[in-house]
Amino acid sequence: GAVVSQHPSRVICKSGTSVKIECRSLDFQATTMFWYRQFPKQSLMLMATSNEGSKATYEQGVEKDKFLINHASLTLSTLTVTSAHPEDSSFYICSARVDSRAETQYFGPGTRLLVL
Amino acid sequence: QKEVEQDPGPLSVPEGAIVSLNCTYSNSAFQYFMWYRQYSRKGPELLMYTYSSGNKEDGRFTAQVDKSSKYISLFIRDSQPSDSATYLCAAVTGTASKLTFGTGTRLQVTL
């Protein structure tokens, strides 16, 4: 089956620093990748949709200058949390879509970010 | 009002019980529905998806959609401790559209 990996699985950083999270589709090419954030006991909230070679589309309320997304290849998308603050502490999950069908969207294992 | 509503639980059942998980939605434009299972600190895993009203069965799992009442359900037969997880329903307006998730229901299957 389609596998999506994320790195790192968890990261602890100091307030004010930047953190980069990688999302890779291991056995398929993904023209579209998604980034979600999930707070404890809450659902996944879509942050942005990323298409290879073009700028990401951010959801309303998500600061594009704070959450930088780069989709440089068909198998790699990165999310950089710039100048992280404690309120950015959350579980960040990426997903990649094999084709245009919603059911072909596969999720990564998530990255737990803790900002001190 | 959230577009997809789901009781967060937790729901605790004994091993072997039939589990019923439910969601309601408000957006009439939703056409496709999914159920995901998410283990603690892991990404969601697709269990089932359906495009139409009615039932769809896959092993111990049955997904049910009633578009007239905007109600979707997931039934788990012969529940196992390994089924203990959070179950998320999701809906999309079109097959290439973004997923809108419910809050998830935490299920605990006890021995």
Side-chain angles (χ1 to χ4, degrees):
Chain A
V3 179
V4 177
S5 71
Q6 275 184 247
H7 179 80
S9 58
R10 62 172 63 184
V11 57
I12 301 173
C13 70
K14 293 182 179 180
S15 184
T17 61
S18 294
V19 175
K20 180 184 283 188
I21 302 170
E22 289 187 350
C23 176
R24 294 182 185 271
S25 56
L26 298 185
D27 49 3
F28 66 98
Q29 293 184 329
T31 54
T32 304
M33 289 184 168
F34 305 85
W35 287 95
Y36 294 83
R37 183 164 56 180
Q38 186 177 34
F39 290 107
K41 298 185 179 181
Q42 294 189 27
S43 187
L44 281 78
M45 296 302 297
L46 180 65
M47 299 174 67
T49 301
S50 168
N51 290 294
E52 185 265 339
S54 61
K55 290 183 178 181
T57 302
Y58 290 81
E59 294 299 301
Q60 190 173 11
V62 178
E63 300 174 58
K64 59 182 66 177
D65 293 332
K66 181 169 184 62
F67 298 100
L68 301 179
I69 292 172
N70 184 281
H71 194 161
S73 76
L74 288 172
T75 60
L76 173 65
S77 177
T78 60
L79 168 68
T80 301
V81 183
T82 63
S83 187
H85 288 94
E87 57 266 30
D88 298 324
S89 298
S90 187
F91 194 49
Y92 291 87
I93 304 175
C94 74
S95 68
R97 204 162 61 188
V98 174
D99 55 45
S100 62
R101 296 172 296 158
E103 67 267 27
T104 68
Q105 188 172 335
Y106 295 89
F107 288 82
T111 295
R112 186 161 300 281
L113 170 64
L114 177 61
V115 184
L116 301 176
Chain B
Q1 181 188 13
K2 293 181 180 178
E3 289 189 289
V4 180
E5 298 272 7
Q6 190 174 5
D7 187 334
L11 177 64
S12 183
V13 300
E15 183 180 10
I18 296 174
V19 177
S20 173
L21 302 165
N22 309 294
C23 288
T24 58
Y25 63 94
S26 57
N27 188 345
S28 299
F30 286 143
Q31 297 294 321
Y32 309 99
F33 306 91
M34 285 83 170
W35 283 97
Y36 290 85
R37 177 175 61 196
Q38 185 178 23
Y39 291 112
S40 181
R41 303 187 179 189
K42 299 292 184 184
E45 169 195 13
L46 180 65
L47 283 176
M48 299 192 69
Y49 65 92
T50 180
Y51 292 153
S52 59
S53 284
N55 294 347
K56 182 177 181 180
E57 189 173 318
D58 183 1
R60 296 187 295 113
F61 299 93
T62 299
Q64 188 176 80
V65 175
D66 182 346
K67 290 187 176 181
S68 63
S69 59
K70 298 187 177 68
Y71 196 84
I72 56 177
S73 301
L74 178 71
F75 299 97
I76 307 174
R77 291 183 297 281
D78 188 25
S79 56
Q80 304 294 311
S82 58
D83 295 327
S84 298
T86 296
Y87 290 79
L88 298 146
C89 61
V92 292
T93 56
T95 186
S97 303
K98 63 181 183 181
L99 295 168
T100 300
F101 284 91
T103 53
T105 299
R106 190 157 60 92
L107 170 67
Q108 181 72 38
V109 181
T110 57
L111 292 171

